[in-house]
Amino acid sequence: MPLDLSHLLSEQAKARKGSKLKSCVHYKNEPDFGFLAGGLPLPSYFAWDSVSAATRKPPFEGGLGANSTAENQLSFTVSHDSTALDVPLSSSLQYAVAIGPAPLREFLVEHTKLVHKIPYQEWELATTVGNTQSWDACVRTFCDPGDSILVEKYSFSSAMETATSQGIRLVPMDVDEHGILPEKLESKLSQMKAGGEKLPKVIYCIPTGQNPTGICLPGERRKRIYDIASKYDLVIVEDEPYYFLQLDPYVAPEARDPVAKSLTNAEFLESMVPSFLNFDADGRVVRLDSFSKVLAPGSRLGWITCQKSLMERFLRNFESTFQTPSGFSSSIIFGTLSRWGQQGYIEWLKALRTEYTWKRNLAIDFCRKYLPESVSTINAPIAGMFFVVSVDTSRHPEFATKYNSDPLAVEAAIFDTTIEKKAILVPGSWFEVREKDEQPSTTVFFRGTYAATEIDVLEKGIQRFGKAVREVFRIEKS
Amino acid sequence: MPLDLSHLLSEQAKARKGSKLKSCVHYKNEPDFGFLAGGLPLPSYFAWDSVSAATRKPPFEGGLGANSTAENQLSFTVSHDSTALDVPLSSSLQYAVAIGPAPLREFLVEHTKLVHKIPYQEWELATTVGNTQSWDACVRTFCDPGDSILVEKYSFSSAMETATSQGIRLVPMDVDEHGILPEKLESKLSQMKAGGEKLPKVIYCIPTGQNPTGICLPGERRKRIYDIASKYDLVIVEDEPYYFLQLDPYVAPEARDPVAKSLTNAEFLESMVPSFLNFDADGRVVRLDSFSKVLAPGSRLGWITCQKSLMERFLRNFESTFQTPSGFSSSIIFGTLSRWGQQGYIEWLKALRTEYTWKRNLAIDFCRKYLPESVSTINAPIAGMFFVVSVDTSRHPEFATKYNSDPLAVEAAIFDTTIEKKAILVPGSWFEVREKDEQPSTTVFFRGTYAATEIDVLEKGIQRFGKAVREVFRIEKS
């Protein structure tokens, strides 16, 4: 049984009431009932008779980039009539309960059971319009203005903005090249407690393919962080859009197999880093998933997984905000997944892994080729869409004289010079969450993407960035 | 020029910042640029090659209920390639700017100009995921906990819940059978001001086909209410999902034309009650529109119209919440509207009017047939999906003795008896916003729908409700 965490709810979440109108909806399905309590237009007035979609057939041979052919194409049509494979338009285009369409939810529940091992039974899964909205719902559900949350020292700036605009203070968690440092987190919390400070209520993190650092937090650290959250009674929100972009480790070209390793579905699932959900004996983890990075961002469809009694509060939020995802999204996504099947969907995720592993390899190869080793280091990511190049600003010959020993001045010089050379990587300081009076590290970094780009642009971008670093550091090309 | 209303923004709205990352996006479109700053998956990795939809062709002869035939069907396919008639999947399924897809916005701007006359130039229109989310965004943009808003004395309970859960106090505006009473509103505000009370910041109203009362606020009252809002510096949020469900006036069957009156498109537009936008010299109106009641609720696509500088604050909210509507919704809805054209869309709205006028007529005919005139009155609505039956509880022979002169006890008795007879209309008290210590009116009402129901259910529901009223009031069937 998960713990009762209602004491962690915000005032807003506590105040949300269920709809009295919705308490009557069940009469609609009673036979011979004069149901005049609704406001749902008749499906016969909907503007569409059917929608169709063209996708690909598992096992996606030839990869994601393969041309569409008669053999690999899969087309289907969703009408107003129910079938086992479809959410019909008569229900997907109607108002519906906030938890989401049943067939799609059932698919996702089954998928969740394939991937994660949640150590309690009373969990629930509800669809959302993506992790941005889901995270906003988390902030509103757990935090009141004046509360604080723990976040990775470098984190997704839009997610930070969602919290700070609501009057929530950010407390950075120190990280190394493997992510959040559990011992530092523990000492920070114990100091806050000893000092009588109000403790944060939530840990927000992007454990897999972290944005911006590309780091994948190892399972063993997740376990230790979970235990700390349990000890200090914190909610963990894991924002996991990149979870299924876990890659094969980077191998230098000279040692690399010419053909990418092929995993069975079971091996693929086995290789996944454990979710915080796997350690969640208390029911204090809220997991945010999304199809944005694996099917398409514009699907605007994600899901939240957490214990049932917290979900009940989320559903009251959903009823007052987005209600449900688009019915077109639900019908087309479920129609696709139902035809692929659970194993077919895993095949799709494997095809993504192959594609992104290949591009990550290229990015790191280009970095090794074009960046000056003397001042920059590359940490080959094993998940996500991003790589980072770290630059030791203290090695600049004029660090003190020209830059007044300010690492951010060197960062800005590299950024500006890169733009002059017609390329752009994002400065790490744009993502930094700093404690009051904290000095910036002398090592700065830049975030690049290998995923969201064509190969020629990737090479061009890294090459020009390398030139910019050399120019700023006055390093001759060897 | 609209007024600067930034002093009316909430703390949250003032605190929202634009994204630094988004400030770099323009480099993506520069030629020969090494753009590695993005996190947008490549469209070639999207799971879908195309989507198709089947709808009807204007002018929708035979009405909305007509069977689909080769002649009246309209099918189209949206691929990844741009055409003048489509938002291609390569853009609709990608992350995008919060204001919404350009072709759809342009269609809606043109539509707005056909329907409304906004007296200033600097207005903007942005897509949303429906009016529930739009209203939540309004509350967050204008109200801080402890603020108050003015609402119709009977209003949509879910919209009320959106405000109250955020710590916003509701101040009811008195209404009569034509809606908000301007003179009562003015005297309420002047009393509050005289008493040194903090004034409300927002008027929230559903001017057309109001939920639950079905009332359509006349244009002349809208003008007077606008002037009051201007005098007391209030924002008006008009929530208008039913705006295009304006109907022909009710005519008793004996005097009714056997064939419904046919309006030209120009006559139809001319017949529309003016939006608050038409009086909006100050730029203090925020209009919420939605396709939910006119195309399908599950489209989860609406739009907000207001002055540009307020819209800029809304867009920061959208970026932190839903981002954009579903790309499937955008592509399918725009693909439909672009093929219908502006005039074709008006034809669709006219077909809806014909359908809903017919059903409203039936509902009122049934009410006249089945309800006891001695205690109940019917106000035939000229807009929306709802009709209300008012019941004078003071006419109950045992009002004082059995019901302790409590109108709500009579209301509850009618409700319970109706349920026993296997029918349901919603008690008006469920929608009531009451001032502290305010006594309920002796006239109660019940909300029924004529729109969201089949004819046999409509007749059954009204007949059984009539029986319940007679039974509670001990009236013999005449």
Side-chain angles (χ1 to χ4, degrees), chain B residues 160-289:
Chain B
M160 301 301 96
E161 159 67 14
T162 296
T164 53
S165 65
Q166 297 184 51
I168 313 304
R169 195 168 64 86
L170 307 179
V171 180
M173 296 181 283
D174 289 322
V175 295
D176 66 7
E177 72 273 25
H178 300 296
I180 303 164
L181 288 157
E183 57 277 19
K184 293 265 197 171
L185 174 60
E186 164 100 56
S187 70
K188 176 165 278 185
L189 284 164
S190 84
Q191 272 173 34
M192 289 178 93
K193 197 168 184 178
E197 268 186 77
K198 190 174 168 191
L199 292 187
K201 289 178 87 175
V202 170
I203 292 177
Y204 169 82
C205 57
I206 309 169
T208 313
Q210 207 261 351
N211 185 0
T213 62
I215 288 168
C216 182
L217 188 68
E220 164 270 330
R221 285 205 189 174
R222 297 185 191 211
K223 171 75 175 94
R224 287 165 66 198
I225 292 163
Y226 181 83
D227 290 341
I228 295 166
S230 186
K231 179 173 170 187
Y232 289 92
D233 198 20
L234 312 175
V235 170
I236 296 178
V237 177
E238 58 170 1
D239 185 3
E240 284 287 47
Y242 312 107
Y243 185 77
F244 287 103
L245 305 183
Q246 294 181 50
L247 314 174
D248 301 339
Y250 177 77
V251 176
E254 49 278 16
R256 192 178 299 158
D257 279 340
V259 178
K261 195 169 69 178
S262 172
L263 297 175
T264 65
N265 286 5
E267 286 167 346
F268 174 80
L269 290 172
E270 188 59 36
S271 77
M272 295 281 112
V273 63
S275 161
F276 274 106
L277 283 176
N278 286 22
F279 309 115
D280 192 17
D282 300 345
R284 61 176 68 254
V285 174
V286 179
R287 182 179 171 89
L288 314 184
D289 277 287

Side-chain angles (χ1 to χ4, degrees), chain B residues 319-335:
Chain B
E319 285 167 1
S320 278
T321 53
F322 65 86
Q323 298 205 38
T324 59
S326 152
F328 293 118
S329 290
S330 294
S331 282
I332 292 172
I333 290 174
F334 179 69

Side-chain angles (χ1 to χ4, degrees), chain A residues 12 15-17 19-24 27-28 31-42 44-56 64 68 73 92-95 129 132-133 136 140 156-158 161-162 165-166 292-300 319-329 332-333 336 340 348 352 355-356 359 385-387 415 419 422-426 430-431 447-449 451-454 457-458 460-462 464, chain B residues 12 15-17 19-24 27-28 31-42 44-56 64 68 73 92-95 129 132-133 136 140 156-158 161-162 165-166 292-300 319-329 332-333 336 340 348 352 355-356 359 385-387 415 419 422-426 430-431 447-449 451-454 457-458 460-462 464:
Chain A
Q12 184 177 133
R16 288 197 183 276
K17 291 193 184 71
S19 162
K20 220 168 168 180
L21 287 169
K22 291 206 168 78
S23 70
C24 298
Y27 288 118
K28 194 172 163 64
D32 183 38
F33 206 92
F35 187 83
L36 303 184
L40 290 68
L42 292 181
S44 56
Y45 299 166
F46 295 172
W48 298 278
D49 297 322
S50 67
V51 295
S52 309
T55 178
R56 307 296 172 85
L64 299 189
S68 168
Q73 197 168 76
S92 71
L93 292 184
Q94 187 55 281
Y95 288 113
V129 292
T132 308
Q133 179 95 27
D136 180 63
R140 297 174 80 176
F156 182 40
S157 37
S158 298
E161 159 67 15
T162 295
S165 64
Q166 297 183 51
S292 288
K293 303 299 193 293
V294 295
L295 296 180
S299 63
R300 301 282 83 220
E319 285 167 0
S320 277
T321 52
F322 65 87
Q323 298 205 39
T324 59
S326 152
F328 293 118
S329 291
I332 292 172
I333 290 173
T336 301
W340 286 358
W348 175 264
L352 266 178
E355 193 78 15
Y356 279 59
K359 292 187 80 173
M385 302 174 73
F386 304 111
F387 64 97
F415 179 71
I419 295 272
K422 298 182 75 172
I424 183 169
L425 283 80
V426 186
W430 292 17
F431 303 95
R447 186 196 80 174
T449 180
T453 180
E454 302 290 353
V457 176
L458 182 62
K460 199 183 287 180
I462 294 173
R464 291 174 184 175
Chain B
Q12 183 176 134
R16 288 198 184 275
K17 291 193 183 71
S19 162
K20 220 167 168 180
L21 287 169
K22 291 206 169 78
S23 70
C24 299
Y27 288 118
K28 195 173 162 64
D32 183 38
F33 207 92
F35 187 83
L36 302 183
L40 290 68
L42 292 181
S44 56
Y45 299 166
F46 294 173
W48 299 278
D49 297 322
S50 67
V51 295
S52 309
T55 178
R56 307 295 172 86
L64 299 189
S68 168
Q73 197 169 76
S92 71
L93 292 184
Q94 187 55 280
Y95 287 113
V129 293
T132 308
Q133 179 95 28
D136 180 63
R140 297 174 81 177
F156 182 40
S157 38
S158 297
E161 159 67 14
T162 296
S165 65
Q166 297 184 51
S292 288
K293 303 300 192 293
V294 295
L295 296 180
S299 64
R300 301 283 82 220
E319 285 167 1
S320 278
T321 53
F322 65 86
Q323 298 205 38
T324 59
S326 152
F328 293 118
S329 290
I332 292 172
I333 290 174
T336 301
W340 286 359
W348 175 264
L352 267 178
E355 193 78 15
Y356 279 58
K359 292 187 81 173
M385 301 174 74
F386 304 111
F387 65 97
F415 179 71
I419 294 273
K422 299 182 75 172
I424 183 169
L425 283 80
V426 185
W430 292 17
F431 303 95
R447 186 196 79 172
T449 180
T453 180
E454 302 290 353
V457 176
L458 182 63
K460 199 183 287 180
I462 293 173
R464 291 173 184 175

Side-chain angles (χ1 to χ4, degrees), chain B residues 86 94 198 209 307 353 378 397 450:
Chain B
D86 291 305
Q94 187 55 280
K198 190 174 168 191
Q307 61 154 298
R353 179 190 182 103
I378 311 133
Y450 51 86

